[in-house]
């Protein structure tokens, strides 16, 4: 599996390097330009999760079905799914509500050498029709959906998932224990410092994200997925306060 996330000429993330009035974090043109560097240096395990999405897709994608990457950003997980599908007769759709992200995603999809067509949609994933799905991915997307809309989205995905199909759900989580929350948060900050972020950058980005990124506990995610109609939910990856889950619908 080649590293399809690293693109030539990627810009370094310096968006929060200077003191600024911190507003709400937005996936605008400035974020899209530095996003690959930002997520690699901010999300521990991201460079492991993406190629494993390819492995999981290869295992579960079913001929004649649809596969979805909801919240596709620049298409890293879309490309992983594309290669995991291989030569099977599947459709692949990537969805993001940021026009800046979709524009750059189209470029990366075009540069990739795989023949499977990819349909990209610039829209809110809450409005995206989902049907006959064998693999759906939400890679650090649900945390940006309003909490009171998350159960509805999970139910729609579960209803549309074929028996034996899966949802790959990656999320930043919070912990029920204050002590564990504090320790895991501190370790995450040390990870970002080790990747060259200053204390000012860490603080300002955290302030911006706190207004839009609302994490939940693992128990809350499990309960919602089971209530939605998935029969089995497992954590297949965790690093600090970032996890990726596999929700399987029974045959």
């Amino acid at each position: 599996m080649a590293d399809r996330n690293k693109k030539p000429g990627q810009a370094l993330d310096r968006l929060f390097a200077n003191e600024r009035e911190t507003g709400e974090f937005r996936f605008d043109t400035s974020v899209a330009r530095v996003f690959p560097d930002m997520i690699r240096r901010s999300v521990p395990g991201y460079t492991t999760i993406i190629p494993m999405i390819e492995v999981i897709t290869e295992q579960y994608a079913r001929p004649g079905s649809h596969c979805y990457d909801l919240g596709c950003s620049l298409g890293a997980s879309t490309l992983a799914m594309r290669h995991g599908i291989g030569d099977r007769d599947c459709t692949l759709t990537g969805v993001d509500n940021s026009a800046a992200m979709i524009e750059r995603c189209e470029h990366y999809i075009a540069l990739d050498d795989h023949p499977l067509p990819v349909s990209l949609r610039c829209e809110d994933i809450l409005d995206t029709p989902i049907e006959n799905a064998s693999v759906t991915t939400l890679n650090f997307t649900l945390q940006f959906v309003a909490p009171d809309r998350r159960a509805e989205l999970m139910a729609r995905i579960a209803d549309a998932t074929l028996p034996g199909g899966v949802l790959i759900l990656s999320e930043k989580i919070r912990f029920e224990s204050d002590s564990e929350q504090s320790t895991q948060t501190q370790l995450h900050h040390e990870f970002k410092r080790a990747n060259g972020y200053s204390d000012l950058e860490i603080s300002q980005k955290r302030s911006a994200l706190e207004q839009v990124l609302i994490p939940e506990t693992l128990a809350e995610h499990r309960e919602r997925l089971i209530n939605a109609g998935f029969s089995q939910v497992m954590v297949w990856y965790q690093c600090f306060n970032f996890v990726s889950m596999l929700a399987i619908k029974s045959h």
Side-chain angles (χ1 to χ4, degrees):
M1 291 169 291
D3 182 2
R4 286 180 289 275
N5 306 314
K6 187 171 179 56
K7 310 295 183 209
Q10 286 179 350
L12 185 68
D13 174 22
R14 301 286 292 164
L15 295 183
F16 296 91
N18 299 310
E19 195 158 350
R20 55 187 275 186
E21 185 174 333
T22 305
E24 184 178 290
F25 187 92
R26 297 182 184 279
F27 291 96
D28 55 17
T29 302
S30 62
V31 169
R33 185 175 58 85
V34 302
F35 188 72
D37 182 67
M38 174 186 286
I39 199 162
R40 178 186 61 81
R41 296 164 63 205
S42 300
V43 178
Y46 187 79
T47 53
T48 297
I49 289 171
I50 292 299
M52 291 308 104
I53 287 175
E54 178 179 335
V55 171
I56 294 169
T57 301
E58 185 175 9
Q59 180 69 31
Y60 288 97
R62 184 180 305 178
S65 71
H66 301 307
C67 297
Y68 299 90
D69 183 11
L70 303 179
C72 63
S73 61
L74 300 188
S77 45
T78 310
L79 289 174
M81 294 175 75
R82 188 188 210 183
H83 286 258
I85 291 168
D87 60 1
R88 276 167 281 195
D89 178 26
C90 296
T91 65
L92 176 58
T93 303
V95 184
D96 204 285
N97 65 358
S98 166
M101 289 290 191
I102 288 291
E103 182 180 354
R104 285 181 176 259
C105 184
E106 288 174 343
H107 175 66
Y108 291 152
I109 295 294
L111 287 176
D112 184 55
D113 60 359
H114 198 284
L116 179 72
V118 176
S119 173
L120 295 177
R121 301 170 65 118
C122 185
E123 65 186 15
D124 191 322
I125 61 172
L126 294 169
D127 299 327
T128 299
I130 305 169
E131 59 181 4
N132 195 38
S134 59
V135 182
T136 300
T137 297
L138 285 99
N139 205 33
F140 303 106
T141 299
L142 186 64
Q143 58 203 21
F144 293 103
V145 174
D148 62 354
R149 303 294 303 275
R150 294 176 186 180
E152 165 199 337
L153 178 59
M154 293 301 98
R156 283 206 305 114
I157 294 172
D159 286 347
T161 300
L162 296 168
V166 299
L167 166 65
I168 305 166
L169 177 63
S170 307
E171 287 281 286
K172 181 179 183 180
I173 62 169
R174 63 180 177 85
F175 298 91
E176 296 177 4
S177 159
D178 290 341
S179 174
E180 183 172 5
Q181 179 67 35
S182 176
T183 299
Q184 297 276 20
T185 299
Q186 180 61 33
L187 289 170
H188 179 217
H189 289 173
E190 292 300 331
F191 168 83
K192 292 201 279 190
R193 289 188 186 95
N195 280 320
Y197 282 123
S198 67
D199 288 345
L200 177 64
E201 288 174 293
I202 293 169
S203 174
Q204 291 196 133
K205 186 179 179 186
R206 183 180 187 184
S207 296
L209 280 170
E210 280 177 343
Q211 301 177 59
V212 293
L213 194 165
I214 304 171
E216 297 174 293
T217 65
L218 199 52
E220 288 172 315
H221 283 294
R222 287 184 189 275
E223 182 180 12
R224 182 189 295 119
L225 289 165
I226 294 297
N227 289 342
F230 290 101
S231 55
Q232 189 176 8
V233 179
M234 62 187 76
V235 172
W236 66 268
Y237 184 86
Q238 178 174 354
C239 187
F240 306 142
N241 44 356
F242 291 82
V243 304
S244 192
M245 293 162 267
L246 187 66
I248 304 172
K249 190 169 181 180
S250 61
H251 285 279

